[in-house]
Amino acid sequence: MTDESLPALRPLAAWPRLESAVAPDPEVERKVAEILAALTPEEKIGQLVQPELAQLTAEDVRAYRIGSALNGAGIWPDGKRHAAVRDWVDMVDHFWSAAERAWEGRPFRIPFLWATDAVHGHNNVYGATVFPHNIGLGAAGDPELIRRIGAATAREVAATGMDWIFAPTVTNPRDRRWGRYYEGYGEDPALGYAYGRAMVEGLQGDAAALRTDERVLATLKHWIADGGTADGGDRGTARCEEQVLRDIHAQGFLGGIRAGAQSVMVSFSSWEHPANYDHTPGRAEPYNHKVHGSRYLITDVLKGALGFDGIVTSDWDAHAEVAGCSAGDANYAINAGLDVLMVAGREAWQSVYRNALEGLRSGAIAPERIDDAVRRVLRVKMRAGLWERPRPGERSLTGPDAPAVIGSPAHRELAREATRKSLVLLKNTPGVLPIAPSARVLVCGSAADDLQKQCGGWTLTWQGDDIERADLPGGATMADALREAVGAGTCTVDPALESAEPGAFDVAVVCLGEDAYAEMRGTVKPWRSIGYADLKRSYARDLELLRRLRADGVPVVTVFFTGRPLYCTEEINLSDAFVVAWLPGPFAQGVADVLVADAQGGVRYDFQGRLPSSWPRTRDASAVNRIPPHLPDYRVPAEETAPTGRHRPLFAVGHGLSVHEASPAGPLEPHVPEPAPPAPAVDGPLRVLDADGTPYRLRIGGHNTWSREDVHLDRVTDCLIVRSTPLPAGAGLNLVFKGYPAFVYAEAPGSEPADLRGYLDGGGCLRFSVRVRQAPSAPLHLACHDDFPAQPGLDLAPWLPDAGAEEWTEVSVPLAELAAIGTDLRHVAVPFMLYTAGTAELDVAEVSWRLD
């Protein structure tokens, strides 16, 4: 990547007025005004509510005049993980037809829109092409490649009958602890600008192409500064100056809006700044700076100053996090400027509908605000040519004579090309690369034969941590790709190095990688190291494997799969060549294309990737970014760290070697962490839940419950995933897990962690009483932090009694068991958590930590 391939940005003294490639059309505006004038209040609100597939019926669409719907990650037609393309088309067609029936007898019709997350290809659909995640594409530094990927993704989405996707993500990630870091293209705002523009052009084409049924509506997300929150907190708070918003965090949006993007999704995060005013002061609960409630950022800036005239949509149930709103009441957020409300739960979206209608009738929501929202929805639908498009099942890419588009060879070859171009060579010892095709190759490491680590989150499921080979037809792991490149006879795969003798090989390719994660579960807590080997016990085993190979003297090529730059200086020192492959997707042949020589021993493809983000020198260099070249007077925000002294990047933005370039001689200087302080003394039990109540906040989280539900000790708490009922004795809860990924936990006030190692040093245990009413249908885990399942949990099967017993059983889990699996007892914000993805019913009471 070179600066010449990116636009030359300049400081912005004010928000610029943007000229969109999809220009206003007087005839479109005339038709929109005609329809708007004929709509009833109920019909208007119906156009603004967007439920998800699992919580919507065709009858709902007809009855409420619903204007759009979506399928989230891991939500498929009839719940079929491997639903065929025709299943998707028929499902969309079914809802489209219901919407058509809704307008029968009226002098007009309003077509239905189906939306989906397609963040690295059409990633929810079985058999679709999965491209590298954005951080890898950023390393490629090739806007034209992005444009081609956008066009390919559009065709695959259109081949399932859908019209709208929630991509691209144009966030500017500034803190490596953030679990969504890989969704951004990199820390350089010029990269975000160029790629935001190119991806929108690929997805939508120009104004004429957008009207065809081979393009889709793009969504720029997430407005704004979700990558600039303090400590990399997901849904956290940015406190930067407005100048930083304009010059850093807005650039991807500016490029995308100029390219004609027709929708913008708002961020879960907050912007704490005096300019972010409370548009309805005097309420019982003052505005809490959530961007979803920001009239300044949504209406004054995005719609007003920038002139964006498309749809502003909410994120999944995000309105519920705005002060004064709830899952079923979005009126304050509507008044801030939201046009389409993504509401998951059935009861919630119906309540949002009723409350918005009541707000319109009472004057709490001005008619002009609702008309603005509906006008934008109709305008975008008309610009997309929805009135002229055939029904979803009869379009050019869905009909019986349509070409096979999903997972086509051309698209997979494009994904392989993108993988090749994204690879960054951080270290190179001459003569090691490329690997001769006749070489005896040992393939090992935790990522050697693991599609999850290659693909990351948002791959068929939300977190991507449960996919298997069968989920990705045609996918190849590094082991597969290297066997193919050098021949199965000379390639040995031994991930944990359990049987192979390293000395028998010419080279070892060691594949390291983060486990798959997506938002929330991938965020590293502020007190934790960003050292790869520090994050999980399984990652530390990769480091031990490298040390063993170094001792055996075999040349080592390390391939690192990661969603973000992590401290791995020792891993680099132990390698003869070190390649950052990011999250390339399931086509590891693209990595082998660069690692392995041609038949004559020459270079088939050289390394082209360059770092899109700074590489950390220390384990705590989590928010260190270069000073943007276009901002000579840039002042580093409080959320970041100046790139000076010990915080100088180990490798700067733009770094990357060719196979013909050698690294400087000598090892890199490792960062030696400060020793942990002694464990504080503890005295007596730690109460979590007993007859006197609890000093903690009891909560439910998991599938479709992103904003968390509070558990009450005086009444039933019932949500999609868990039902909690207080027990008569007042000492505990009856918990019913309903078959979705769900966790019930006790959280410290303010989520402040405590050092509880004293209980471990004293031989303590976590003790609770339990009666199992219905045996768990899947593993039930115990965890003692707020990172599970990103961090380890203990399967409770050995401790649980049989189901049906009326007597209580006291469970006593030694803290040493939790420490042995890697639980960080120095920082415990959640001293008790139960998690399962299955069904179960149990009574839980008398929860505490004890020394006896």
Side-chain angles (χ1 to χ4, degrees):
M1 178 172 56
T2 64
D3 288 338
E4 288 74 27
S5 66
L6 303 179
L9 301 182
R10 57 181 179 81
L12 297 172
W15 293 99
R17 189 73 175 182
L18 303 177
E19 183 175 333
S20 170
V22 180
D25 183 335
E27 182 60 16
V28 167
E29 297 305 310
R30 184 190 67 77
K31 291 179 180 178
V32 166
E34 272 186 9
I35 295 175
L36 183 61
L39 292 175
T40 66
E42 292 84 356
E43 291 167 342
K44 291 178 180 180
I45 301 301
Q47 288 296 300
L48 310 185
V49 176
Q50 186 181 78
E52 61 101 344
L53 170 61
Q55 303 293 313
L56 183 69
T57 67
E59 177 56 28
D60 293 331
V61 172
R62 190 201 63 77
Y64 288 88
R65 308 296 200 275
I66 298 295
S68 64
L70 81 153
N71 60 279
I75 300 173
W76 313 284
D78 298 322
K80 294 192 296 185
R81 188 185 189 97
H82 292 178
V85 172
R86 194 69 220 176
D87 294 332
W88 286 97
V89 174
D90 290 345
M91 180 269 294
V92 177
D93 196 277
H94 176 64
F95 285 100
W96 183 93
S97 298
E100 292 295 299
R101 291 193 298 273
W103 302 105
E104 289 176 349
R106 304 298 298 275
F108 59 86
R109 54 185 278 268
I110 301 178
F112 189 69
L113 262 178
W114 194 276
T116 189
D117 285 309
V119 298
H120 62 141
H122 200 8
N123 47 264
N124 286 331
V125 173
Y126 173 73
T129 307
V130 174
F131 292 96
H133 268 298
N134 283 357
I135 188 69
L137 297 180
D142 186 345
E144 178 55 31
L145 174 69
I146 302 309
R147 196 172 287 108
R148 288 190 286 139
I149 289 173
T153 300
R155 284 175 58 79
E156 296 209 8
V157 172
T160 55
M162 303 179 190
D163 304 295
W164 186 9
I165 72 166
F166 296 134
T169 303
V170 292
T171 185
N172 196 278
R174 311 292 288 179
D175 194 306
R176 301 174 187 108
R177 293 170 291 191
W178 189 34
R180 306 189 77 157
Y181 197 99
Y182 62 79
E183 294 187 47
Y185 295 115
E187 72 180 52
D188 187 347
L191 184 66
Y193 183 97
Y195 273 26
R197 187 165 199 155
M199 184 59 83
V200 169
E201 289 170 348
L203 292 167
Q204 293 189 174
D206 59 19
L210 180 58
R211 298 182 65 83
T212 70
D213 62 8
E214 294 190 11
R215 300 286 182 155
V216 296
L217 293 162
T219 302
L220 301 168
K221 62 184 191 183
H222 303 87
W223 177 262
I224 184 174
D226 55 345
T229 60
D231 298 322
D234 195 40
R235 309 183 186 194
T237 301
R239 300 182 178 88
C240 58
E241 291 301 318
E242 191 167 355
Q243 185 75 40
V244 174
L245 285 190
R246 286 195 295 264
D247 289 333
I248 302 291
H249 296 287
Q251 290 297 333
F253 295 93
L254 302 186
I257 291 172
R258 284 190 169 115
Q262 291 299 292
S263 64
V264 170
M265 183 183 291
V266 179
S267 170
F268 268 106
S269 61
S270 305
W271 183 49
E272 201 169 279
H273 190 277
N276 194 14
Y277 60 87
D278 187 342
H279 64 70
T280 309
R283 301 175 306 144
E285 190 176 3
Y287 172 51
N288 59 352
H289 304 285
K290 285 286 181 180
V291 181
H292 270 76
S294 175
R295 181 178 289 177
Y296 179 70
L297 291 174
I298 297 173
T299 298
D300 299 350
V301 174
L302 180 59
K303 294 181 174 181
L306 298 181
F308 175 68
D309 67 356
I311 295 170
V312 178
T313 181
S314 75
D315 207 335
W316 187 292
D317 284 343
H319 65 277
E321 297 194 2
V322 177
C325 291
S326 65
D329 185 346
N331 288 3
Y332 185 92
I334 292 172
N335 277 332
L338 292 180
D339 302 319
V340 169
L341 296 149
M342 189 192 302
V343 191
R346 181 176 179 80
E347 291 182 7
W349 70 254
Q350 291 178 351
S351 178
V352 164
Y353 174 95
R354 291 191 299 269
N355 279 312
L357 188 59
E358 175 58 31
L360 177 60
R361 288 169 172 163
S362 69
I365 303 175
E368 295 80 12
R369 171 73 275 272
I370 296 299
D371 284 355
D372 168 62
V374 179
R375 184 179 294 109
R376 289 167 180 270
V377 171
L378 297 177
R379 176 187 294 138
V380 168
K381 289 184 175 184
M382 208 162 286
R383 285 174 173 174
L386 295 193
W387 272 263
E388 292 77 40
R389 291 188 186 186
R391 65 185 303 145
E394 297 176 356
R395 296 178 182 175
S396 63
L397 295 178
T398 62
D401 299 324
V405 172
I406 296 289
S408 70
H411 291 171
R412 292 189 177 197
E413 180 53 42
L414 179 58
R416 183 169 175 168
E417 176 191 346
T419 296
R420 287 196 300 266
K421 291 182 172 179
S422 69
L423 304 177
V424 179
L425 183 60
L426 291 188
K427 180 181 180 180
N428 187 37
T429 301
V432 174
L433 291 174
I435 299 167
S438 59
R440 296 167 299 169
V441 179
L442 170 63
V443 187
C444 52
S446 65
D449 205 21
D450 192 324
L451 285 173
Q452 293 180 16
K453 288 177 180 280
Q454 287 178 202
C455 294
W458 302 107
T459 306
L460 206 64
T461 65
W462 174 33
Q463 295 291 320
D465 58 356
D466 60 348
I467 60 171
E468 301 173 350
R469 280 184 177 271
D471 297 324
L472 295 165
T477 65
M478 277 304 304
D480 299 328
L482 288 168
R483 283 193 194 102
E484 179 183 333
V486 303
T490 57
C491 182
T492 297
V493 178
D494 188 358
L497 203 53
E498 295 174 314
S499 58
E501 290 297 331
F505 297 90
D506 299 312
V507 64
V509 178
V510 181
C511 305
L512 322 179
E514 292 188 276
D515 293 335
Y517 58 80
E519 58 187 317
M520 299 168 63
R521 297 183 186 175
T523 298
V524 177
K525 294 297 179 180
W527 53 84
R528 303 199 75 219
S529 162
I530 61 163
Y532 171 71
D534 299 335
L535 288 172
K536 290 190 179 182
R537 292 289 176 92
S538 59
Y539 301 173
R541 287 194 287 272
D542 282 330
L543 178 56
E544 291 300 322
L545 187 150
L546 281 169
R547 289 170 179 158
R548 177 179 167 187
L549 290 170
R550 173 61 73 190
D552 288 336
V554 61
V556 171
V557 175
T558 296
V559 179
F560 187 35
F561 297 107
T562 182
R564 50 195 161 196
L566 292 174
Y567 172 84
C568 48
T569 298
E570 187 172 359
E571 289 88 342
I572 295 172
N573 283 338
L574 291 168
S575 306
D576 296 284
F578 192 93
V579 179
V580 184
W582 310 106
L583 299 172
F587 306 114
Q589 297 97 330
V591 182
D593 286 344
V594 183
L595 295 186
V596 180
D598 61 22
Q600 290 72 43
V603 175
R604 287 195 289 173
Y605 297 93
D606 200 355
F607 290 90
Q608 295 179 238
R610 301 295 180 263
L611 287 180
S613 297
S614 311
W615 200 269
R617 182 179 297 273
T618 62
R619 289 173 166 85
D620 57 353
S622 54
V624 182
N625 305 286
R626 72 167 176 172
I627 302 299
H630 72 294
L631 300 175
D633 299 322
Y634 181 74
R635 290 187 298 172
V636 178
E639 290 87 353
E640 299 182 23
T641 310
T644 58
R646 63 184 293 272
H647 291 299
R648 283 183 301 112
L650 183 64
F651 301 110
V653 169
H655 176 79
L657 300 172
S658 160
V659 74
H660 303 295
E661 297 176 278
S663 303
L668 300 169
E669 182 180 356
H671 171 228
V672 180
E674 294 290 329
V682 295
D683 182 21
L686 176 75
R687 290 182 52 243
V688 179
L689 174 65
D690 55 29
D692 294 325
T694 177
Y696 294 91
R697 183 181 185 182
L698 303 180
R699 311 190 80 186
I700 297 168
H703 176 79
N704 280 14
T705 314
W706 294 8
S707 298
R708 309 293 199 250
E709 295 275 351
D710 285 326
V711 174
H712 303 283
L713 293 178
D714 59 352
R715 61 186 185 275
V716 172
T717 305
D718 196 0
C719 63
L720 175 70
I721 57 177
V722 170
R723 183 178 74 243
S724 168
T725 305
L727 295 175
L733 298 166
N734 170 264
L735 300 173
V736 176
F737 293 88
K738 301 182 182 180
Y740 299 90
F743 40 97
V744 178
Y745 61 103
E747 180 182 55
S751 299
E752 289 298 318
D755 187 342
L756 300 181
R757 289 175 297 155
Y759 287 97
L760 174 66
D761 293 350
C765 62
L766 195 161
R767 186 176 298 171
F768 60 98
S769 296
V770 64
R771 287 187 298 202
V772 178
R773 303 293 190 181
Q774 177 190 339
S777 64
L780 178 69
H781 290 94
L782 171 70
C784 295
H785 44 67
D786 56 355
D787 274 355
F788 189 77
Q791 298 299 321
L794 194 66
D795 188 346
L796 279 173
W799 285 276
L800 290 180
D802 293 335
E806 286 300 316
E807 297 300 317
W808 288 90
T809 297
E810 186 176 81
V811 172
S812 184
V813 179
L815 294 173
E817 297 267 3
L818 290 161
I821 62 171
T823 302
D824 179 8
L825 296 179
R826 183 181 169 188
H827 298 96
V828 179
V830 171
F832 182 75
M833 174 186 285
L834 296 177
Y835 172 92
T836 185
T839 57
E841 181 180 358
L842 56 154
D843 297 335
V844 177
E846 300 295 338
V847 183
S848 63
W849 289 42
R850 294 186 173 273
L851 290 172
D852 54 344

